[in-house]
Each structure stands twice: as C-alpha cells, then as structure tokens.
Amino acid sequence: MPRNTISRVRAEGDAFSIGVALGRASAGFLEQAPRSAQDRALEMRWRGSDYLKTLESAARATYPRFVREIEGIAAGVGQDFETVFLWNCWGDLQLPEDVSPATKALAATGCTSLLIPREGDGPAVIAHNEDGDAEILGACLWAEVEPDEGPAWSGFMYPGQLLGHTFGSNEAGLVQTVNNISAHDLQPGVPRQIICRAILDARTLDEAVDILKRKDRASGFHHNLGEAKTRRLASVEAPASGCAVREVASPRAHANHLLFEEFDGLEQTITLSSRNRQDAADRMIAEGALARGAEVVLFDETTPIYRGEDGRRDDYAQTLATAVFALFADRVEWRVHATPEERNALSGTVRVV
C-alpha cells in the first residue's frame, strides 16, 4: 500500500458547515500526531497575545466568512478557535530566537512551481511541488467544496488548516499555487492564509491580483496565478511590504524566495535548498526539459527538486504532492501525483462557468 494516500473530502453549505466537514476529515490525524516543534514554539510565544488578537481582528474585519471557516475547522477537529487560528497564522508570527536551527529551517522551506505559457491553441500550464513537513505525509486531503456563497473550488489541504495556501482552482477557471517566502517584514494585518483563501473566491486573474495588492497584509507568499478563459499566467511576489506582478510570456520557475528586483533591499531567509532548486529548474528549462513535460523538472532527484522520503532531500522538507493544471479556454484539466511512482493519484476536469 502506498504511504502517501491523499484522501478526497467533499463539503458544502455555509462557511461554518464547510469548515466542520474539513475539520472532521483531518481530526483523526490531529488527535494522534504530536504538534511540531514549530507549532509548539509559536503557541508558547503568541497564545493570548495582543498581536495575535490584532491579526484576528484584521481577518474578521476584512474576510469574516473565511474566519468562520476556521471556526468550523476548529469545531470539526475538536480544538478551541485560538489554537486553530494560530496554526493558520504560522507564517505571520515571528519564531522565538531560542528555537532549534532545524525548526527555523523548516519554517523557511517551501515549494517549487513552473509556469508554462500556451503555444498556439494549446493550454497554459501551472505545475507545482508541494513541499512541507514530512510528518504530515499521508495526512493531507484533496477537498472539493460547493459553498452557498462564492464559486465552487477544490484544493490541497493540510490537516487543520484553511485551504488556499498550497494549490487549487475554482469553477471560474482561476488556478493558484503558492510558494512560501520568509521575508523579514512582518506587520499587523490580515494573515496570509486568509489572503490565499480569498483568492479562491476570485473570478478573474485581475481580481486575484487586486487582493494581493492590499496594503494591510500581515506577511506574504509568492503566488502563481492562471486564468483559463484567457490562458493568462502571472507570477506574483507579495511580501507584506509590497506586491510585484509579472505576466508570464515564456516558461519560468519559482522556488521559495523572492526573485524580483523590487525586493532586492528586503531582508529574507533563503535556504540552500531554495537556491539550488531555483538554479536547477532554470537550467533545465533553458535546456529544453519541458518538452518532455513539467514532471521531468519537478521529479528531478539530482539537485533535488523533488524531495523524497528515502534520503533524496537536502533539508527538512519533503514533497507531499505534485500537481499539474492545464488551462484551456473552457476548462481546467488537473492531475495530482502522490509520488513519482504514484502518478495521477487524483485527477479531474473543471468546466469553466
């Protein structure tokens, strides 16, 4: 039996009901699994703090429906709201100085994405390695959601966390994949995972970019965005202190650190793995590897870009899934690989409405 099972869960209704269903789907894992060193450190430092309350107030003032989803997740997993909200703010909160180097490294790790513009009548493609804590391998979910309000959407879910900050798409044909960044510009504001969830509610690429241009964000990510109807692709770096957008006209890769010159002066943590994955993906694209498919790059094990559980990884993260989205004018065809050996663990087609 494969170790990396990705269970499918469906949810519908109002925001709280959706959250409850998603929370219940991951409750069994959370009941048995010990909290990570990162979670424990953040809880010890920030639980009950005025700063955490400020993040909550900002989230409720701007996106109350998505806070309601977190309330539902908390009910579904059997935890108090503050605990689950804190889990969803891990990138918005500074780790204590005395945490271990391994914990700091895990907080700074992240994913690799490819953006491949259309050729002629062919699809535009967004492909993504979702890299995270090896302890949650096999506990992540693929959620398919039909809300009472907003477009239907689906995405990859970490146990107990709001969807959006990994990879997913909605029925408007908007696709999003997300790379962690570790910019040192945290500020009080709307948590970045709330922002990611808001993008799954957007109906156009321009609407999604406008969300990322908000000046009241607590921290940020790098976002890969695609719009099926126009097959436009955009690479967006959005730390708390700014937003830089690049519409994509030629294939490009993005590992989990800021690349654009707008942020040359912004201090950030860049792991050796992130540098190596960016360099390797750029080199493989220049050599024409994408002619054989996005997986050729994302499954590279020499750098490695793909980080497996059998020692083929160079830091504290592991590849949890690989997703490929093909954007046509009237549909999005998607597939999710659990591992290079477990292709198409999940797949489907979303008709654009």
Side-chain angles (χ1 to χ4, degrees), residues 30-48:
L30 293 171
E31 288 170 357
Q32 300 175 25
R35 300 306 300 161
S36 70
Q38 179 183 352
D39 284 343
R40 294 196 303 272
L42 289 174
E43 288 178 12
M44 184 174 298
R45 170 68 179 84
W46 296 107
R47 179 181 289 277

mmCIF file with all atom_site columns, all heavy atoms in Angstrom, residues 30-48:
data_model
loop_
_atom_site.group_PDB
_atom_site.id
_atom_site.type_symbol
_atom_site.label_atom_id
_atom_site.label_alt_id
_atom_site.label_comp_id
_atom_site.label_asym_id
_atom_site.label_entity_id
_atom_site.label_seq_id
_atom_site.pdbx_PDB_ins_code
_atom_site.Cartn_x
_atom_site.Cartn_y
_atom_site.Cartn_z
_atom_site.occupancy
_atom_site.B_iso_or_equiv
_atom_site.pdbx_formal_charge
_atom_site.auth_seq_id
_atom_site.auth_comp_id
_atom_site.auth_asym_id
_atom_site.auth_atom_id
_atom_site.pdbx_PDB_model_num
ATOM 1   N N   . LEU A 1 30 ? -4.902  14.581 13.643 1.00 0.00 ? 30 LEU A N   1
ATOM 2   C CA  . LEU A 1 30 ? -4.506  15.579 14.633 1.00 0.00 ? 30 LEU A CA  1
ATOM 3   C C   . LEU A 1 30 ? -4.633  15.054 16.056 1.00 0.00 ? 30 LEU A C   1
ATOM 4   O O   . LEU A 1 30 ? -3.915  15.492 16.949 1.00 0.00 ? 30 LEU A O   1
ATOM 5   C CB  . LEU A 1 30 ? -5.337  16.849 14.449 1.00 0.00 ? 30 LEU A CB  1
ATOM 6   C CG  . LEU A 1 30 ? -5.059  17.610 13.145 1.00 0.00 ? 30 LEU A CG  1
ATOM 7   C CD1 . LEU A 1 30 ? -6.077  18.723 12.959 1.00 0.00 ? 30 LEU A CD1 1
ATOM 8   C CD2 . LEU A 1 30 ? -3.655  18.178 13.144 1.00 0.00 ? 30 LEU A CD2 1
ATOM 9   N N   . GLU A 1 31 ? -5.560  14.113 16.275 1.00 0.00 ? 31 GLU A N   1
ATOM 10  C CA  . GLU A 1 31 ? -5.682  13.523 17.605 1.00 0.00 ? 31 GLU A CA  1
ATOM 11  C C   . GLU A 1 31 ? -4.480  12.662 17.962 1.00 0.00 ? 31 GLU A C   1
ATOM 12  O O   . GLU A 1 31 ? -4.094  12.554 19.127 1.00 0.00 ? 31 GLU A O   1
ATOM 13  C CB  . GLU A 1 31 ? -6.951  12.664 17.671 1.00 0.00 ? 31 GLU A CB  1
ATOM 14  C CG  . GLU A 1 31 ? -8.245  13.464 17.694 1.00 0.00 ? 31 GLU A CG  1
ATOM 15  C CD  . GLU A 1 31 ? -9.462  12.573 17.525 1.00 0.00 ? 31 GLU A CD  1
ATOM 16  O OE1 . GLU A 1 31 ? -9.265  11.342 17.339 1.00 0.00 ? 31 GLU A OE1 1
ATOM 17  O OE2 . GLU A 1 31 ? -10.586 13.096 17.570 1.00 0.00 ? 31 GLU A OE2 1
ATOM 18  N N   . GLN A 1 32 ? -3.855  12.053 16.960 1.00 0.00 ? 32 GLN A N   1
ATOM 19  C CA  . GLN A 1 32 ? -2.760  11.121 17.206 1.00 0.00 ? 32 GLN A CA  1
ATOM 20  C C   . GLN A 1 32 ? -1.379  11.747 17.052 1.00 0.00 ? 32 GLN A C   1
ATOM 21  O O   . GLN A 1 32 ? -0.430  11.342 17.718 1.00 0.00 ? 32 GLN A O   1
ATOM 22  C CB  . GLN A 1 32 ? -2.877  9.931  16.253 1.00 0.00 ? 32 GLN A CB  1
ATOM 23  C CG  . GLN A 1 32 ? -4.164  9.148  16.399 1.00 0.00 ? 32 GLN A CG  1
ATOM 24  C CD  . GLN A 1 32 ? -4.285  8.045  15.359 1.00 0.00 ? 32 GLN A CD  1
ATOM 25  O OE1 . GLN A 1 32 ? -3.299  7.559  14.840 1.00 0.00 ? 32 GLN A OE1 1
ATOM 26  N NE2 . GLN A 1 32 ? -5.515  7.651  15.052 1.00 0.00 ? 32 GLN A NE2 1
ATOM 27  N N   . ALA A 1 33 ? -1.268  12.731 16.164 1.00 0.00 ? 33 ALA A N   1
ATOM 28  C CA  . ALA A 1 33 ? 0.050   13.270 15.840 1.00 0.00 ? 33 ALA A CA  1
ATOM 29  C C   . ALA A 1 33 ? 0.469   14.319 16.862 1.00 0.00 ? 33 ALA A C   1
ATOM 30  O O   . ALA A 1 33 ? -0.325  15.194 17.220 1.00 0.00 ? 33 ALA A O   1
ATOM 31  C CB  . ALA A 1 33 ? 0.033   13.889 14.445 1.00 0.00 ? 33 ALA A CB  1
ATOM 32  N N   . PRO A 1 34 ? 1.707   14.275 17.331 1.00 0.00 ? 34 PRO A N   1
ATOM 33  C CA  . PRO A 1 34 ? 2.197   15.342 18.197 1.00 0.00 ? 34 PRO A CA  1
ATOM 34  C C   . PRO A 1 34 ? 2.364   16.621 17.397 1.00 0.00 ? 34 PRO A C   1
ATOM 35  O O   . PRO A 1 34 ? 2.644   16.588 16.198 1.00 0.00 ? 34 PRO A O   1
ATOM 36  C CB  . PRO A 1 34 ? 3.553   14.809 18.681 1.00 0.00 ? 34 PRO A CB  1
ATOM 37  C CG  . PRO A 1 34 ? 3.994   13.861 17.597 1.00 0.00 ? 34 PRO A CG  1
ATOM 38  C CD  . PRO A 1 34 ? 2.731   13.251 17.059 1.00 0.00 ? 34 PRO A CD  1
ATOM 39  N N   . ARG A 1 35 ? 2.162   17.759 18.030 1.00 0.00 ? 35 ARG A N   1
ATOM 40  C CA  . ARG A 1 35 ? 2.361   19.022 17.355 1.00 0.00 ? 35 ARG A CA  1
ATOM 41  C C   . ARG A 1 35 ? 3.841   19.205 17.029 1.00 0.00 ? 35 ARG A C   1
ATOM 42  O O   . ARG A 1 35 ? 4.720   18.778 17.776 1.00 0.00 ? 35 ARG A O   1
ATOM 43  C CB  . ARG A 1 35 ? 1.885   20.194 18.215 1.00 0.00 ? 35 ARG A CB  1
ATOM 44  C CG  . ARG A 1 35 ? 0.415   20.144 18.567 1.00 0.00 ? 35 ARG A CG  1
ATOM 45  C CD  . ARG A 1 35 ? -0.472  20.009 17.347 1.00 0.00 ? 35 ARG A CD  1
ATOM 46  N NE  . ARG A 1 35 ? -0.307  21.113 16.412 1.00 0.00 ? 35 ARG A NE  1
ATOM 47  C CZ  . ARG A 1 35 ? -0.668  21.078 15.136 1.00 0.00 ? 35 ARG A CZ  1
ATOM 48  N NH1 . ARG A 1 35 ? -1.189  19.977 14.631 1.00 0.00 ? 35 ARG A NH1 1
ATOM 49  N NH2 . ARG A 1 35 ? -0.505  22.123 14.373 1.00 0.00 ? 35 ARG A NH2 1
ATOM 50  N N   . SER A 1 36 ? 4.132   19.837 15.923 1.00 0.00 ? 36 SER A N   1
ATOM 51  C CA  . SER A 1 36 ? 5.517   20.048 15.509 1.00 0.00 ? 36 SER A CA  1
ATOM 52  C C   . SER A 1 36 ? 6.216   21.013 16.459 1.00 0.00 ? 36 SER A C   1
ATOM 53  O O   . SER A 1 36 ? 5.573   21.777 17.198 1.00 0.00 ? 36 SER A O   1
ATOM 54  C CB  . SER A 1 36 ? 5.564   20.607 14.090 1.00 0.00 ? 36 SER A CB  1
ATOM 55  O OG  . SER A 1 36 ? 5.082   21.944 14.070 1.00 0.00 ? 36 SER A OG  1
ATOM 56  N N   . ALA A 1 37 ? 7.536   20.991 16.417 1.00 0.00 ? 37 ALA A N   1
ATOM 57  C CA  . ALA A 1 37 ? 8.320   21.918 17.245 1.00 0.00 ? 37 ALA A CA  1
ATOM 58  C C   . ALA A 1 37 ? 7.993   23.364 16.887 1.00 0.00 ? 37 ALA A C   1
ATOM 59  O O   . ALA A 1 37 ? 7.955   24.241 17.758 1.00 0.00 ? 37 ALA A O   1
ATOM 60  C CB  . ALA A 1 37 ? 9.813   21.642 17.051 1.00 0.00 ? 37 ALA A CB  1
ATOM 61  N N   . GLN A 1 38 ? 7.729   23.617 15.598 1.00 0.00 ? 38 GLN A N   1
ATOM 62  C CA  . GLN A 1 38 ? 7.372   24.963 15.171 1.00 0.00 ? 38 GLN A CA  1
ATOM 63  C C   . GLN A 1 38 ? 6.042   25.392 15.789 1.00 0.00 ? 38 GLN A C   1
ATOM 64  O O   . GLN A 1 38 ? 5.932   26.505 16.324 1.00 0.00 ? 38 GLN A O   1
ATOM 65  C CB  . GLN A 1 38 ? 7.289   25.019 13.647 1.00 0.00 ? 38 GLN A CB  1
ATOM 66  C CG  . GLN A 1 38 ? 6.897   26.384 13.099 1.00 0.00 ? 38 GLN A CG  1
ATOM 67  C CD  . GLN A 1 38 ? 6.754   26.372 11.592 1.00 0.00 ? 38 GLN A CD  1
ATOM 68  O OE1 . GLN A 1 38 ? 7.073   25.397 10.936 1.00 0.00 ? 38 GLN A OE1 1
ATOM 69  N NE2 . GLN A 1 38 ? 6.275   27.462 11.034 1.00 0.00 ? 38 GLN A NE2 1
ATOM 70  N N   . ASP A 1 39 ? 5.039   24.527 15.730 1.00 0.00 ? 39 ASP A N   1
ATOM 71  C CA  . ASP A 1 39 ? 3.737   24.856 16.320 1.00 0.00 ? 39 ASP A CA  1
ATOM 72  C C   . ASP A 1 39 ? 3.862   25.098 17.821 1.00 0.00 ? 39 ASP A C   1
ATOM 73  O O   . ASP A 1 39 ? 3.280   26.044 18.362 1.00 0.00 ? 39 ASP A O   1
ATOM 74  C CB  . ASP A 1 39 ? 2.739   23.728 16.071 1.00 0.00 ? 39 ASP A CB  1
ATOM 75  C CG  . ASP A 1 39 ? 2.224   23.707 14.644 1.00 0.00 ? 39 ASP A CG  1
ATOM 76  O OD1 . ASP A 1 39 ? 2.366   24.721 13.940 1.00 0.00 ? 39 ASP A OD1 1
ATOM 77  O OD2 . ASP A 1 39 ? 1.689   22.665 14.224 1.00 0.00 ? 39 ASP A OD2 1
ATOM 78  N N   . ARG A 1 40 ? 4.613   24.243 18.495 1.00 0.00 ? 40 ARG A N   1
ATOM 79  C CA  . ARG A 1 40 ? 4.759   24.399 19.948 1.00 0.00 ? 40 ARG A CA  1
ATOM 80  C C   . ARG A 1 40 ? 5.436   25.712 20.294 1.00 0.00 ? 40 ARG A C   1
ATOM 81  O O   . ARG A 1 40 ? 5.041   26.404 21.242 1.00 0.00 ? 40 ARG A O   1
ATOM 82  C CB  . ARG A 1 40 ? 5.540   23.216 20.525 1.00 0.00 ? 40 ARG A CB  1
ATOM 83  C CG  . ARG A 1 40 ? 4.822   21.875 20.422 1.00 0.00 ? 40 ARG A CG  1
ATOM 84  C CD  . ARG A 1 40 ? 5.455   20.839 21.344 1.00 0.00 ? 40 ARG A CD  1
ATOM 85  N NE  . ARG A 1 40 ? 6.874   20.651 21.075 1.00 0.00 ? 40 ARG A NE  1
ATOM 86  C CZ  . ARG A 1 40 ? 7.377   19.795 20.190 1.00 0.00 ? 40 ARG A CZ  1
ATOM 87  N NH1 . ARG A 1 40 ? 6.548   19.050 19.457 1.00 0.00 ? 40 ARG A NH1 1
ATOM 88  N NH2 . ARG A 1 40 ? 8.673   19.670 20.020 1.00 0.00 ? 40 ARG A NH2 1
ATOM 89  N N   . ALA A 1 41 ? 6.456   26.073 19.535 1.00 0.00 ? 41 ALA A N   1
ATOM 90  C CA  . ALA A 1 41 ? 7.187   27.319 19.804 1.00 0.00 ? 41 ALA A CA  1
ATOM 91  C C   . ALA A 1 41 ? 6.297   28.533 19.577 1.00 0.00 ? 41 ALA A C   1
ATOM 92  O O   . ALA A 1 41 ? 6.302   29.492 20.365 1.00 0.00 ? 41 ALA A O   1
ATOM 93  C CB  . ALA A 1 41 ? 8.436   27.388 18.927 1.00 0.00 ? 41 ALA A CB  1
ATOM 94  N N   . LEU A 1 42 ? 5.519   28.493 18.506 1.00 0.00 ? 42 LEU A N   1
ATOM 95  C CA  . LEU A 1 42 ? 4.641   29.626 18.220 1.00 0.00 ? 42 LEU A CA  1
ATOM 96  C C   . LEU A 1 42 ? 3.520   29.731 19.253 1.00 0.00 ? 42 LEU A C   1
ATOM 97  O O   . LEU A 1 42 ? 3.156   30.835 19.675 1.00 0.00 ? 42 LEU A O   1
ATOM 98  C CB  . LEU A 1 42 ? 4.053   29.481 16.817 1.00 0.00 ? 42 LEU A CB  1
ATOM 99  C CG  . LEU A 1 42 ? 5.032   29.683 15.653 1.00 0.00 ? 42 LEU A CG  1
ATOM 100 C CD1 . LEU A 1 42 ? 4.346   29.375 14.328 1.00 0.00 ? 42 LEU A CD1 1
ATOM 101 C CD2 . LEU A 1 42 ? 5.596   31.103 15.639 1.00 0.00 ? 42 LEU A CD2 1
ATOM 102 N N   . GLU A 1 43 ? 2.973   28.594 19.655 1.00 0.00 ? 43 GLU A N   1
ATOM 103 C CA  . GLU A 1 43 ? 1.909   28.632 20.657 1.00 0.00 ? 43 GLU A CA  1
ATOM 104 C C   . GLU A 1 43 ? 2.426   29.184 21.978 1.00 0.00 ? 43 GLU A C   1
ATOM 105 O O   . GLU A 1 43 ? 1.756   29.999 22.628 1.00 0.00 ? 43 GLU A O   1
ATOM 106 C CB  . GLU A 1 43 ? 1.332   27.231 20.848 1.00 0.00 ? 43 GLU A CB  1
ATOM 107 C CG  . GLU A 1 43 ? 0.484   26.763 19.668 1.00 0.00 ? 43 GLU A CG  1
ATOM 108 C CD  . GLU A 1 43 ? -0.040  25.350 19.845 1.00 0.00 ? 43 GLU A CD  1
ATOM 109 O OE1 . GLU A 1 43 ? 0.058   24.822 20.973 1.00 0.00 ? 43 GLU A OE1 1
ATOM 110 O OE2 . GLU A 1 43 ? -0.540  24.778 18.860 1.00 0.00 ? 43 GLU A OE2 1
ATOM 111 N N   . MET A 1 44 ? 3.617   28.781 22.379 1.00 0.00 ? 44 MET A N   1
ATOM 112 C CA  . MET A 1 44 ? 4.180   29.261 23.635 1.00 0.00 ? 44 MET A CA  1
ATOM 113 C C   . MET A 1 44 ? 4.421   30.766 23.584 1.00 0.00 ? 44 MET A C   1
ATOM 114 O O   . MET A 1 44 ? 4.196   31.488 24.563 1.00 0.00 ? 44 MET A O   1
ATOM 115 C CB  . MET A 1 44 ? 5.484   28.518 23.938 1.00 0.00 ? 44 MET A CB  1
ATOM 116 C CG  . MET A 1 44 ? 6.108   28.866 25.288 1.00 0.00 ? 44 MET A CG  1
ATOM 117 S SD  . MET A 1 44 ? 7.552   27.841 25.652 1.00 0.00 ? 44 MET A SD  1
ATOM 118 C CE  . MET A 1 44 ? 6.798   26.215 25.706 1.00 0.00 ? 44 MET A CE  1
ATOM 119 N N   . ARG A 1 45 ? 4.866   31.251 22.429 1.00 0.00 ? 45 ARG A N   1
ATOM 120 C CA  . ARG A 1 45 ? 5.215   32.672 22.305 1.00 0.00 ? 45 ARG A CA  1
ATOM 121 C C   . ARG A 1 45 ? 3.991   33.557 22.109 1.00 0.00 ? 45 ARG A C   1
ATOM 122 O O   . ARG A 1 45 ? 3.922   34.672 22.652 1.00 0.00 ? 45 ARG A O   1
ATOM 123 C CB  . ARG A 1 45 ? 6.192   32.854 21.130 1.00 0.00 ? 45 ARG A CB  1
ATOM 124 C CG  . ARG A 1 45 ? 6.460   34.309 20.723 1.00 0.00 ? 45 ARG A CG  1
ATOM 125 C CD  . ARG A 1 45 ? 7.223   35.045 21.808 1.00 0.00 ? 45 ARG A CD  1
ATOM 126 N NE  . ARG A 1 45 ? 7.498   36.416 21.432 1.00 0.00 ? 45 ARG A NE  1
ATOM 127 C CZ  . ARG A 1 45 ? 6.649   37.438 21.578 1.00 0.00 ? 45 ARG A CZ  1
ATOM 128 N NH1 . ARG A 1 45 ? 5.435   37.215 22.101 1.00 0.00 ? 45 ARG A NH1 1
ATOM 129 N NH2 . ARG A 1 45 ? 6.969   38.660 21.215 1.00 0.00 ? 45 ARG A NH2 1
ATOM 130 N N   . TRP A 1 46 ? 2.981   33.096 21.349 1.00 0.00 ? 46 TRP A N   1
ATOM 131 C CA  . TRP A 1 46 ? 1.949   34.021 20.885 1.00 0.00 ? 46 TRP A CA  1
ATOM 132 C C   . TRP A 1 46 ? 0.552   33.757 21.423 1.00 0.00 ? 46 TRP A C   1
ATOM 133 O O   . TRP A 1 46 ? -0.323  34.615 21.269 1.00 0.00 ? 46 TRP A O   1
ATOM 134 C CB  . TRP A 1 46 ? 1.909   33.997 19.357 1.00 0.00 ? 46 TRP A CB  1
ATOM 135 C CG  . TRP A 1 46 ? 3.173   34.498 18.742 1.00 0.00 ? 46 TRP A CG  1
ATOM 136 C CD1 . TRP A 1 46 ? 4.131   33.756 18.124 1.00 0.00 ? 46 TRP A CD1 1
ATOM 137 C CD2 . TRP A 1 46 ? 3.633   35.843 18.713 1.00 0.00 ? 46 TRP A CD2 1
ATOM 138 N NE1 . TRP A 1 46 ? 5.168   34.562 17.695 1.00 0.00 ? 46 TRP A NE1 1
ATOM 139 C CE2 . TRP A 1 46 ? 4.885   35.854 18.041 1.00 0.00 ? 46 TRP A CE2 1
ATOM 140 C CE3 . TRP A 1 46 ? 3.118   37.057 19.179 1.00 0.00 ? 46 TRP A CE3 1
ATOM 141 C CZ2 . TRP A 1 46 ? 5.620   37.012 17.835 1.00 0.00 ? 46 TRP A CZ2 1
ATOM 142 C CZ3 . TRP A 1 46 ? 3.841   38.218 18.977 1.00 0.00 ? 46 TRP A CZ3 1
ATOM 143 C CH2 . TRP A 1 46 ? 5.076   38.190 18.305 1.00 0.00 ? 46 TRP A CH2 1
ATOM 144 N N   . ARG A 1 47 ? 0.312   32.616 22.052 1.00 0.00 ? 47 ARG A N   1
ATOM 145 C CA  . ARG A 1 47 ? -1.038  32.352 22.566 1.00 0.00 ? 47 ARG A CA  1
ATOM 146 C C   . ARG A 1 47 ? -1.429  33.439 23.570 1.00 0.00 ? 47 ARG A C   1
ATOM 147 O O   . ARG A 1 47 ? -0.689  33.778 24.476 1.00 0.00 ? 47 ARG A O   1
ATOM 148 C CB  . ARG A 1 47 ? -1.099  30.989 23.238 1.00 0.00 ? 47 ARG A CB  1
ATOM 149 C CG  . ARG A 1 47 ? -2.482  30.657 23.810 1.00 0.00 ? 47 ARG A CG  1
ATOM 150 C CD  . ARG A 1 47 ? -2.507  29.296 24.500 1.00 0.00 ? 47 ARG A CD  1
ATOM 151 N NE  . ARG A 1 47 ? -2.402  28.228 23.533 1.00 0.00 ? 47 ARG A NE  1
ATOM 152 C CZ  . ARG A 1 47 ? -3.440  27.748 22.844 1.00 0.00 ? 47 ARG A CZ  1
ATOM 153 N NH1 . ARG A 1 47 ? -4.644  28.278 23.000 1.00 0.00 ? 47 ARG A NH1 1
ATOM 154 N NH2 . ARG A 1 47 ? -3.270  26.759 21.999 1.00 0.00 ? 47 ARG A NH2 1
ATOM 155 N N   . GLY A 1 48 ? -2.630  33.992 23.393 1.00 0.00 ? 48 GLY A N   1
ATOM 156 C CA  . GLY A 1 48 ? -3.131  35.015 24.305 1.00 0.00 ? 48 GLY A CA  1
ATOM 157 C C   . GLY A 1 48 ? -2.537  36.393 24.102 1.00 0.00 ? 48 GLY A C   1
ATOM 158 O O   . GLY A 1 48 ? -2.862  37.322 24.853 1.00 0.00 ? 48 GLY A O   1
#
